[in-house]
Amino acid sequence: MDSEELRATQAPLKDKYRDEPASALVTLHADAELDGLGISCKVETGRAIVEAGLHPATGGDGTLACSGDMLLEALVACAGVTLRAVATSLGLEVRGGRVRAEGDLDFRGTLAVAKDAPVGFRAIRLSFDLDTDADPDQLATLKKLTERYCVVFQSLRTPPDFAVTLAAN
């Protein structure tokens, strides 16, 4: 897809969202099944079922997907797609490359070993190594716009409001 095709594809959506702002509000969802077979759950990804469980640092055996890894995987997927879309829109050729996310966790918090240790990521680093001839100014614009329009990046940077419910049958 080139920049003209991308613009042509997105133009009617942008017009609709300008005219009918409520039509731009979409609720995404994710589902998982707790099947009673150990400390795990089966996550429906839309393409396959991923079985998630404990990270080895919390007692898992490493055979199941870790939700922290899945969060980083969602970040690199979203950032990669967003970067590609932005580059296409700007007319920048990105022949290939790698997107990497790393996150630091202190598992003392997760395991309630130290009350002063946070539960969750202390820091996340997102990096791109691109095969492109873009100049430094173009790369700066690409980075800025990728950060601005990446849904997962922005959700992590500025957390949304959360609501949790729990019901028993």
Side-chain angles (χ1 to χ4, degrees), residues 39 53-64 107 110-111:
I39 302 176
L54 292 173
H55 186 277
T58 61
D61 64 9
T63 62
L64 302 178
F107 283 102
T110 302
L111 293 176

Side-chain angles (χ1 to χ4, degrees), residues 10-58:
Q10 291 181 339
L13 294 169
K14 289 180 177 186
D15 290 343
K16 179 180 178 183
Y17 299 158
R18 278 187 202 99
D19 295 341
E20 303 169 40
S23 70
L25 301 177
V26 177
T27 300
L28 303 179
H29 71 277
D31 295 302
E33 179 184 344
L34 304 174
D35 60 13
L37 300 176
I39 302 176
S40 68
C41 68
K42 293 180 180 171
V43 181
E44 298 176 24
T45 68
R47 301 282 182 246
I49 302 282
V50 175
E51 194 163 1
L54 292 173
H55 186 277
T58 61

Side-chain angles (χ1 to χ4, degrees), residues 88-143:
T88 299
S89 181
L90 295 173
L92 299 177
E93 182 184 8
V94 176
R95 291 177 293 274
R98 302 219 24 103
V99 183
R100 179 177 184 85
E102 298 176 321
D104 302 326
L105 290 162
D106 183 342
F107 283 102
R108 294 177 305 151
T110 302
L111 293 176
V113 171
K115 290 192 183 282
D116 63 331
V119 176
F121 286 99
R122 288 183 154 191
I124 296 175
R125 294 169 299 283
L126 179 64
S127 63
F128 300 88
D129 182 13
L130 304 178
D131 180 7
T132 183
D133 294 325
D135 66 38
D137 288 339
Q138 292 170 318
L139 291 174
T141 299
L142 183 59
K143 177 182 176 286

